[in-house]
Amino acid sequence: YGGRDGMESSCAHSRCQEMQTSRVYCVLLQQKQMFRAWRPSVDIQELRDCYVLYADVPGIARENLNVEAKKSDHCIVISGERVSNVPETKDKDGNTRNLWRERWHGKFMRAFALPRDADLDKISANLEDGVLEVRIARDLADKEDKAPVSINYARSKL
């Protein structure tokens, strides 16, 4: 896998597999929202002490955004609603006439599986200039990923 001694890449690979495995819940959760018209673009970074999620949410008021940690599924869910600010004009028959419409509005929901070292009790969120930044602290405690198992020896009765 590359890396200096293979361990770094191996850890990154297992973290990637872990995230992909735990995505099942998140994918199912998002399938409920398949009817939605839009969803914000998201970038996720892994830093030494935290994970940072950036979501483009221009035109969405803070009170229309929700960030939620689902501890049982070890994922984070971002949801909200962009309200259209275009007044609806109707013709004499009561029909709306939009000549061109590219800006999406409506409800959205995104769910992201997180690695085991993400500390869901230490999350902060900030909204600035249409970008939602969510920081999830990493539990940097050196936890042993394996535990020794003793093997009992049973003598055969011959």
Side-chain angles (χ1 to χ4, degrees):
Y1 288 107
R4 281 175 268 140
D5 58 354
M7 284 300 292
E8 188 175 301
S9 295
S10 177
C11 289
H13 179 70
S14 66
R15 204 168 30 253
C16 183
Q17 283 181 325
E18 175 184 312
M19 288 179 72
Q20 289 172 350
T21 302
S22 61
R23 282 179 207 242
V24 173
Y25 167 80
C26 295
V27 168
L28 292 175
L29 189 61
Q30 288 189 78
Q31 284 178 349
K32 290 181 184 179
Q33 299 289 324
M34 290 306 284
F35 62 86
R36 70 186 179 278
W38 76 284
R39 65 184 196 169
S41 298
V42 172
D43 294 331
I44 301 175
Q45 290 181 336
E46 178 182 17
L47 303 177
R48 188 187 66 72
D49 61 344
C50 67
Y51 296 98
V52 186
L53 182 146
Y54 299 96
D56 288 338
V57 290
I60 300 179
R62 188 178 74 208
E63 57 271 8
N64 290 339
L65 280 172
N66 185 42
V67 178
E68 188 175 17
K70 297 228 179 244
K71 291 183 180 181
S72 60
D73 300 300
H74 211 70
C75 73
I76 191 160
V77 178
I78 298 172
S79 59
E81 181 175 11
R82 180 184 294 160
V83 180
S84 176
N85 59 356
V86 178
E88 286 206 21
T89 55
K90 302 196 182 263
D91 63 13
K92 62 182 177 181
D93 298 324
N95 299 317
T96 301
R97 290 197 62 211
N98 291 314
L99 297 179
W100 196 270
R101 184 169 221 162
E102 292 182 350
R103 299 181 311 146
W104 293 97
H105 63 276
K107 294 182 179 184
F108 72 89
M109 192 271 310
R110 302 285 312 263
F112 301 94
L114 297 170
R116 282 182 291 176
D117 67 344
D119 189 344
L120 298 183
D121 291 320
K122 296 179 182 172
I123 299 177
S124 64
N126 184 46
L127 178 64
E128 186 177 337
D129 296 331
V131 178
L132 175 66
E133 178 184 301
V134 180
R135 289 185 170 267
I136 305 116
R138 294 178 74 175
D139 185 0
L140 300 176
D142 190 20
K143 294 182 179 175
E144 191 65 34
D145 195 28
K146 55 187 174 181
V149 176
S150 62
I151 301 172
N152 294 324
Y153 178 72
R155 294 187 174 195
S156 60
K157 298 178 184 176
L158 291 177

